[in-house]
Amino acid sequence: MEIIKWKVIVLKKMGFIESMTVHQICRQHNGVQAQIRAYADVGFLTRMSTEDFSGSWSLDLVRQWSVRGTLHAYLKEDIPLYLYEGRNYLKPNLSLPTHDGKISAKEKGYYGDLILEALASGHKSRDELKEICRKAGLSKEKEASLFDSWGGLIASLISEGKIYQEYERQYFGLLKSYEPWDKEKAELEIARRYFSGFGPVSLADARYYFKENKRTIENWMKKLDLKTVEVEGITRYYAGELEEGDTDIPPIIFIAGFDALLLAFEKKENPFFDPKYIRDIYTLTGIVKPVIMLNGELVATWRKEKNKVYVRPFKNLRKKEISLIECEGIKRFQEISEVLFEK
């Protein structure tokens, strides 16, 4: 298979050629990475129809930990799948002291019960939960530990399947009837979604996406009974069927930071960009920047500030390409009035 045909197949599966519903995105792509909320919103925007995105599309979503131990937006009904029994991320830790040792397990449990009691009357914001704990005697120093931005008590309660976080308002609510999936069953389903939703992918791609060792990935692949295809000398694997056709790649696509297009494939071997631009996209601090694709190739990064989009090309662009980016930027983001190019 030629690489251009592979790109069409992958872009179509990812929702960049034909629109997807929010439920399709979540079930086929293991949700959308969401530690930066604005990036996640763009991840949904670029895959959904204008009509769907303008409606109440996020009501069924939560924002919490899943694949690679990172924050994702996914369906509330899939919490038992991603917070499965025996996972190696966000392990149940409510019975342990805070990571900095400032709050004992007993005191942590006390405030945990306080939060659960408060949520029994309805969803609450993080600030509302902080205020409830302050009134119960929580000091400022301990508050910083208990409500640590990397998780703290909130993460502990989520790890136990006691509460969840809404995606839209980012409020917290009680989680009822949490029954985590069995480890083997859950890992195979998550892997199936990856090979079906993003495949054909290479073994190196799968290791990069899951941050897992070769033996574990190969074990999943064997149990899933994947199909293979040679793409310009590289063996790639997939589940389900491949839809080959005469579909064209869109001339321009604005792609979110931390998008699956940048995480589903090994970054040093990602066919969508020249590896010499790798540090323009993946920073040394772990940020994966938003990018712009022209005719199947990533050519620039972008960022949105207030009513402007700033574009930083990797190379010199033709006037026609610049005009295309300007028009799409204003069209894609309704609040944008100007697209500016940086050197």
Side-chain angles (χ1 to χ4, degrees), residues 19-123:
S19 297
M20 304 176 73
T21 66
V22 67
H23 284 69
Q24 287 175 322
I25 295 168
C26 291
R27 291 188 179 127
Q28 296 176 31
H29 297 168
N30 285 317
V32 171
Q33 192 155 324
Q35 64 263 50
I36 299 179
R37 169 64 187 276
Y39 288 176
D41 283 347
V42 174
F44 285 109
L45 167 67
T46 52
R47 290 170 167 83
M48 297 170 65
S49 69
T50 302
E51 181 180 0
D52 282 351
F53 192 79
S54 63
S56 302
W57 57 272
S58 63
L59 297 181
D60 295 332
L61 301 184
V62 297
R63 178 177 178 267
Q64 49 196 53
W65 291 265
S66 70
V67 181
R68 298 180 301 278
T70 53
L71 284 171
H72 277 65
Y74 56 87
L75 296 173
K76 181 184 174 184
E77 65 189 50
D78 277 341
I79 290 176
L81 168 63
Y82 294 113
L83 297 187
Y84 60 85
E85 199 73 51
R87 61 191 179 276
N88 61 7
Y89 56 83
L90 196 69
K91 298 178 181 179
N93 59 11
L94 191 57
S95 61
L96 300 175
T98 53
H99 66 89
D100 56 11
K102 292 181 179 179
I103 300 177
S104 68
K106 183 178 179 180
E107 189 174 11
K108 184 179 175 183
Y110 166 75
Y111 286 110
D113 289 340
L114 196 65
I115 286 175
L116 294 177
E117 183 180 342
L119 293 177
S121 63
H123 291 195

Side-chain angles (χ1 to χ4, degrees), residues 69 91 109 190 196 263 299 301 310 320:
K91 298 178 181 179
I190 294 169
S196 175
L263 299 174
V299 300
T301 56
Y310 295 86
K320 183 179 179 180

Side-chain angles (χ1 to χ4, degrees), residues 14 16 29-35 39 47 67-68 70-72 194 198 201-202 204-211 255-268 270 272-273 281-282 286-289 291 298:
M14 286 193 170
F16 290 121
H29 297 168
N30 285 317
V32 171
Q33 192 155 324
Q35 64 263 50
Y39 288 176
R47 290 170 167 83
V67 181
R68 298 180 301 278
T70 53
L71 284 171
H72 277 65
Y194 168 74
F198 304 133
V201 295
S202 69
D205 292 336
R207 290 190 63 191
Y208 179 74
Y209 177 81
F210 286 105
K211 297 292 185 283
I255 297 171
F258 291 102
D259 194 89
L261 187 94
L262 302 169
L263 299 174
F265 313 110
E266 213 290 330
K267 64 184 178 183
K268 295 178 182 178
N270 191 320
F272 287 102
F273 67 89
I281 302 171
Y282 304 82
I287 300 298
V288 183
K289 295 181 180 180
V291 289
L298 300 183

